[in-house]
Amino acid sequence: MTTYPDPTPNGATHPNPVHGEARQHTDEAILVGGDVPIAVWRLDDRDDTAPAARPGNRLASRLAQRLILVYTHRGDMIVDLDSDPHLEHASSTTSRTYLPITDPTAVADLDAPTDPISLVVLRWPPQHNLRTPARITDLFAACRLIMTTDTCAIAAVSSAAPGQPGTTHAEHRSEILPTARAAGLTPILHIVAVTAPGDHDEFLYYGTRAEAEAARWYQPTGDTESSSGIDLLVFTNRSSHG
């Protein structure tokens, strides 16, 4: 496995090289085993002045910016099926339009946007009392309703650490993937995003599940601050693959 430094300067816009690479990895993974390819993003916390938030409830500011730079272009729209201040701030500073929709049933009434929707973000476990099977299906159906062949949907998954009470990532995954596929979405990448003290970013592709677990719960030797991570499952509209 190889790690790579961040190829994108902070605040710079680029034509989504990682996005394209993720699609290529997915096609190969489907051919050889059908699993979702894994990437590990290690983002340092330099210049991160955002207020602290409970892990999983909000995207860290640098992660929010990174997702926007990778999966959108200047002038695009980002739909947030929640209301994340970090994502809103990153959208504003990178010249994207931010639209929060806290009730997925309102998606059907959404007027045709003037800007292309390139990214839809949702939290998992779902907020707003959506944990019934029918409402969860509606959540992913709402995503697909506003997605084009150029749109990606990202589920930000909060999981319990090993040995701790709560739902593990494997359990979340077993619920998310079948429901998303039934709604017509295809998983193209699993990103383990880790934010920790440091002075540079690293990106690992074609990672193993063992490497993902090690990154997710890693704590540097002699460091009192452990890394904090979140899993991101990236989906595209199935029709884009024919």
Side-chain angles (χ1 to χ4, degrees), residues 57-81:
N57 279 15
R58 296 176 177 176
L59 294 174
S61 59
R62 291 205 65 236
L63 175 57
Q65 183 186 60
R66 179 70 191 176
L67 289 173
I68 288 172
L69 293 177
V70 170
Y71 288 99
T72 73
H73 294 283
R74 186 182 298 272
D76 287 355
M77 175 176 286
I78 297 160
V79 175
D80 183 3
L81 297 181

CSV table of all heavy atoms in Angstrom, one decimal, residues 57-81:
chain,number,residue,atom,x,y,z
A,57,ASN,N,-21.5,13.7,14.7
A,57,ASN,CA,-22.7,14.6,14.6
A,57,ASN,C,-22.5,15.6,13.5
A,57,ASN,O,-23.4,16.1,12.8
A,57,ASN,CB,-23.0,15.3,15.9
A,57,ASN,CG,-23.8,14.4,16.8
A,57,ASN,OD1,-23.9,13.2,16.6
A,57,ASN,ND2,-24.4,15.0,17.9
A,58,ARG,N,-21.2,16.1,13.3
A,58,ARG,CA,-20.9,17.0,12.3
A,58,ARG,C,-19.6,16.7,11.7
A,58,ARG,O,-18.7,16.1,12.3
A,58,ARG,CB,-20.8,18.4,13.0
A,58,ARG,CG,-22.1,18.9,13.5
A,58,ARG,CD,-21.9,20.3,14.2
A,58,ARG,NE,-23.2,20.8,14.7
A,58,ARG,CZ,-23.3,21.9,15.4
A,58,ARG,NH1,-22.2,22.6,15.7
A,58,ARG,NH2,-24.5,22.3,15.8
A,59,LEU,N,-19.4,17.1,10.4
A,59,LEU,CA,-18.2,16.8,9.7
A,59,LEU,C,-17.2,17.9,10.2
A,59,LEU,O,-17.5,19.1,10.3
A,59,LEU,CB,-18.4,17.0,8.2
A,59,LEU,CG,-19.3,15.9,7.5
A,59,LEU,CD1,-19.5,16.3,6.1
A,59,LEU,CD2,-18.7,14.6,7.6
A,60,ALA,N,-16.0,17.4,10.4
A,60,ALA,CA,-14.9,18.4,10.7
A,60,ALA,C,-14.7,19.4,9.6
A,60,ALA,O,-15.0,19.0,8.4
A,60,ALA,CB,-13.6,17.6,11.0
A,61,SER,N,-14.3,20.6,9.9
A,61,SER,CA,-14.2,21.6,8.9
A,61,SER,C,-13.3,21.2,7.7
A,61,SER,O,-13.6,21.5,6.6
A,61,SER,CB,-13.8,22.9,9.5
A,61,SER,OG,-12.6,22.8,10.1
A,62,ARG,N,-12.1,20.7,8.0
A,62,ARG,CA,-11.2,20.3,7.0
A,62,ARG,C,-11.7,19.2,6.1
A,62,ARG,O,-11.5,19.1,4.9
A,62,ARG,CB,-9.8,20.0,7.6
A,62,ARG,CG,-9.1,21.2,8.2
A,62,ARG,CD,-7.6,21.0,8.2
A,62,ARG,NE,-7.0,21.0,6.8
A,62,ARG,CZ,-6.3,20.0,6.3
A,62,ARG,NH1,-6.0,18.9,7.1
A,62,ARG,NH2,-5.9,20.0,5.1
A,63,LEU,N,-12.4,18.2,6.8
A,63,LEU,CA,-13.0,17.1,6.0
A,63,LEU,C,-14.1,17.6,5.1
A,63,LEU,O,-14.2,17.2,3.9
A,63,LEU,CB,-13.5,16.0,6.9
A,63,LEU,CG,-14.3,14.9,6.3
A,63,LEU,CD1,-13.4,14.2,5.2
A,63,LEU,CD2,-14.8,13.9,7.3
A,64,ALA,N,-14.9,18.5,5.6
A,64,ALA,CA,-16.0,19.1,4.8
A,64,ALA,C,-15.4,19.8,3.6
A,64,ALA,O,-15.9,19.6,2.5
A,64,ALA,CB,-16.8,20.1,5.7
A,65,GLN,N,-14.3,20.6,3.8
A,65,GLN,CA,-13.7,21.3,2.7
A,65,GLN,C,-13.1,20.3,1.7
A,65,GLN,O,-13.3,20.4,0.5
A,65,GLN,CB,-12.6,22.2,3.2
A,65,GLN,CG,-12.0,23.0,2.0
A,65,GLN,CD,-10.8,23.8,2.5
A,65,GLN,OE1,-9.8,23.3,3.1
A,65,GLN,NE2,-10.9,25.1,2.4
A,66,ARG,N,-12.5,19.2,2.2
A,66,ARG,CA,-11.9,18.2,1.3
A,66,ARG,C,-12.9,17.5,0.4
A,66,ARG,O,-12.8,17.4,-0.8
A,66,ARG,CB,-11.1,17.2,2.1
A,66,ARG,CG,-10.5,16.1,1.3
A,66,ARG,CD,-9.3,16.6,0.5
A,66,ARG,NE,-8.9,15.6,-0.4
A,66,ARG,CZ,-7.9,15.8,-1.3
A,66,ARG,NH1,-7.3,17.0,-1.4
A,66,ARG,NH2,-7.6,14.9,-2.2
A,67,LEU,N,-14.1,17.2,1.0
A,67,LEU,CA,-15.1,16.5,0.2
A,67,LEU,C,-15.7,17.4,-0.8
A,67,LEU,O,-15.9,17.0,-2.0
A,67,LEU,CB,-16.3,16.1,1.2
A,67,LEU,CG,-16.0,14.9,2.1
A,67,LEU,CD1,-17.1,14.8,3.1
A,67,LEU,CD2,-15.7,13.7,1.4
A,68,ILE,N,-15.8,18.7,-0.5
A,68,ILE,CA,-16.3,19.7,-1.5
A,68,ILE,C,-15.3,19.8,-2.6
A,68,ILE,O,-15.7,19.9,-3.8
A,68,ILE,CB,-16.6,21.0,-0.8
A,68,ILE,CG1,-17.9,20.9,0.1
A,68,ILE,CG2,-16.8,22.1,-1.8
A,68,ILE,CD1,-18.1,22.1,1.0
A,69,LEU,N,-14.0,19.9,-2.3
A,69,LEU,CA,-13.1,20.1,-3.4
A,69,LEU,C,-13.0,18.9,-4.3
A,69,LEU,O,-12.7,19.0,-5.5
A,69,LEU,CB,-11.7,20.4,-2.8
A,69,LEU,CG,-11.6,21.7,-2.1
A,69,LEU,CD1,-10.2,21.9,-1.5
A,69,LEU,CD2,-11.8,22.9,-3.0
A,70,VAL,N,-13.2,17.7,-3.7
A,70,VAL,CA,-13.1,16.4,-4.5
A,70,VAL,C,-14.3,16.2,-5.3
A,70,VAL,O,-14.2,15.7,-6.5
A,70,VAL,CB,-12.7,15.3,-3.6
A,70,VAL,CG1,-12.8,13.9,-4.3
A,70,VAL,CG2,-11.3,15.4,-3.0
A,71,TYR,N,-15.5,16.4,-4.7
A,71,TYR,CA,-16.7,15.9,-5.4
A,71,TYR,C,-17.6,17.0,-6.0
A,71,TYR,O,-18.7,16.7,-6.5
A,71,TYR,CB,-17.6,15.1,-4.3
A,71,TYR,CG,-17.0,13.8,-4.0
A,71,TYR,CD1,-16.2,13.6,-2.9
A,71,TYR,CD2,-17.1,12.7,-4.9
A,71,TYR,CE1,-15.6,12.4,-2.6
A,71,TYR,CE2,-16.5,11.5,-4.7
A,71,TYR,CZ,-15.8,11.3,-3.5
A,71,TYR,OH,-15.2,10.1,-3.3
A,72,THR,N,-17.1,18.2,-6.0
A,72,THR,CA,-17.9,19.3,-6.6
A,72,THR,C,-17.0,20.3,-7.4
A,72,THR,O,-15.8,20.2,-7.2
A,72,THR,CB,-18.7,20.1,-5.5
A,72,THR,OG1,-17.8,20.9,-4.8
A,72,THR,CG2,-19.4,19.2,-4.5
A,73,HIS,N,-17.7,21.1,-8.1
A,73,HIS,CA,-17.0,22.2,-8.8
A,73,HIS,C,-17.5,23.5,-8.4
A,73,HIS,O,-18.6,23.6,-7.8
A,73,HIS,CB,-17.2,22.1,-10.4
A,73,HIS,CG,-16.6,20.9,-11.0
A,73,HIS,ND1,-15.2,20.8,-11.2
A,73,HIS,CD2,-17.1,19.7,-11.4
A,73,HIS,CE1,-15.0,19.6,-11.8
A,73,HIS,NE2,-16.1,18.9,-11.9
A,74,ARG,N,-16.8,24.6,-8.6
A,74,ARG,CA,-17.2,25.9,-8.3
A,74,ARG,C,-18.6,26.2,-8.9
A,74,ARG,O,-18.8,26.0,-10.1
A,74,ARG,CB,-16.2,27.0,-8.7
A,74,ARG,CG,-16.5,28.4,-8.3
A,74,ARG,CD,-15.4,29.3,-8.8
A,74,ARG,NE,-14.1,29.0,-8.3
A,74,ARG,CZ,-13.6,29.5,-7.2
A,74,ARG,NH1,-14.4,30.3,-6.4
A,74,ARG,NH2,-12.4,29.2,-6.7
A,75,GLY,N,-19.5,26.7,-8.2
A,75,GLY,CA,-20.9,27.0,-8.7
A,75,GLY,C,-21.9,25.9,-8.6
A,75,GLY,O,-23.1,26.1,-8.8
A,76,ASP,N,-21.4,24.7,-8.1
A,76,ASP,CA,-22.3,23.6,-7.9
A,76,ASP,C,-23.1,23.8,-6.6
A,76,ASP,O,-22.8,24.6,-5.8
A,76,ASP,CB,-21.6,22.3,-7.8
A,76,ASP,CG,-21.0,21.8,-9.1
A,76,ASP,OD1,-21.3,22.5,-10.1
A,76,ASP,OD2,-20.3,20.8,-9.1
A,77,MET,N,-24.2,23.0,-6.5
A,77,MET,CA,-25.0,22.9,-5.3
A,77,MET,C,-24.7,21.7,-4.4
A,77,MET,O,-24.5,20.6,-5.0
A,77,MET,CB,-26.5,23.0,-5.6
A,77,MET,CG,-27.4,22.9,-4.4
A,77,MET,SD,-29.2,23.1,-4.8
A,77,MET,CE,-29.3,24.8,-5.2
A,78,ILE,N,-24.7,21.9,-3.1
A,78,ILE,CA,-24.5,20.8,-2.2
A,78,ILE,C,-25.8,20.7,-1.3
A,78,ILE,O,-26.2,21.7,-0.7
A,78,ILE,CB,-23.3,21.0,-1.3
A,78,ILE,CG1,-22.0,21.0,-2.1
A,78,ILE,CG2,-23.2,19.9,-0.2
A,78,ILE,CD1,-20.9,21.7,-1.4
A,79,VAL,N,-26.5,19.5,-1.4
A,79,VAL,CA,-27.7,19.3,-0.6
A,79,VAL,C,-27.3,18.5,0.7
A,79,VAL,O,-26.7,17.4,0.6
A,79,VAL,CB,-28.7,18.5,-1.4
A,79,VAL,CG1,-29.9,18.2,-0.5
A,79,VAL,CG2,-29.2,19.4,-2.6
A,80,ASP,N,-27.6,19.1,1.8
A,80,ASP,CA,-27.3,18.4,3.1
A,80,ASP,C,-28.6,18.0,3.7
A,80,ASP,O,-29.4,18.8,4.1
A,80,ASP,CB,-26.6,19.5,4.0
A,80,ASP,CG,-26.1,18.9,5.3
A,80,ASP,OD1,-26.3,17.7,5.5
A,80,ASP,OD2,-25.6,19.6,6.1
A,81,LEU,N,-28.8,16.7,3.9
A,81,LEU,CA,-30.1,16.2,4.5
A,81,LEU,C,-29.9,16.2,6.0
A,81,LEU,O,-30.2,15.2,6.7
A,81,LEU,CB,-30.4,14.8,3.9
A,81,LEU,CG,-30.6,14.7,2.4
A,81,LEU,CD1,-31.0,13.3,2.0
A,81,LEU,CD2,-31.8,15.6,2.1
